[in-house]
């Protein structure tokens, strides 16, 4: 299991490597508007999972929401230290 800091670094590395095959990199290039749409989509799916699905499915949806929130923060140039303070 990854903790928040490891996930933050993994996303940062994907963006820094500028791999065109990386969905994280592609979404970061698309910008905050596109990332924001993914945040909203994943948040809605988290809500629906909380209402109607198993805890395992809810955990997956929440983790995807967190992933996209981290990507959004990084796209705006936030640093981990600022995010956790």
């Amino acid at each position: 299991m990854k903790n928040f800091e490891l996930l933050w670094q993994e996303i940062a590395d994907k963006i820094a490597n500028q791999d065109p095959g990386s969905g994280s990199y592609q979404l970061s290039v698309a910008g905050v508007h596109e990332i924001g749409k993914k945040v909203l989509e994943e948040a809605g799916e988290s809500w629906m999972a909380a209402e109607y699905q198993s805890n395992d499915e809810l955990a997956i949806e929440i983790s995807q929401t967190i992933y996209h929130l981290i990507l959004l923060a990084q796209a705006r140039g936030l640093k981990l230290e600022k995010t956790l303070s």
Side-chain angles (χ1 to χ4, degrees), residues 33-47:
H33 183 84
E34 292 302 315
I35 300 168
K37 291 190 323 188
K38 284 299 291 181
V39 168
L40 289 174
E41 174 189 338
E42 297 300 342
E45 290 174 4
S46 295
W47 173 32

Side-chain angles (χ1 to χ4, degrees), residues 1-14 24 59 63 66-67 70:
M1 181 181 339
K2 296 175 190 167
N3 64 29
F4 189 85
E5 290 86 359
L6 289 174
L7 182 56
W8 184 281
Q9 189 58 52
E10 179 181 309
I11 295 169
D13 291 344
K14 288 180 179 186
S24 297
S63 68
I66 292 168
Y67 185 91
I70 292 172

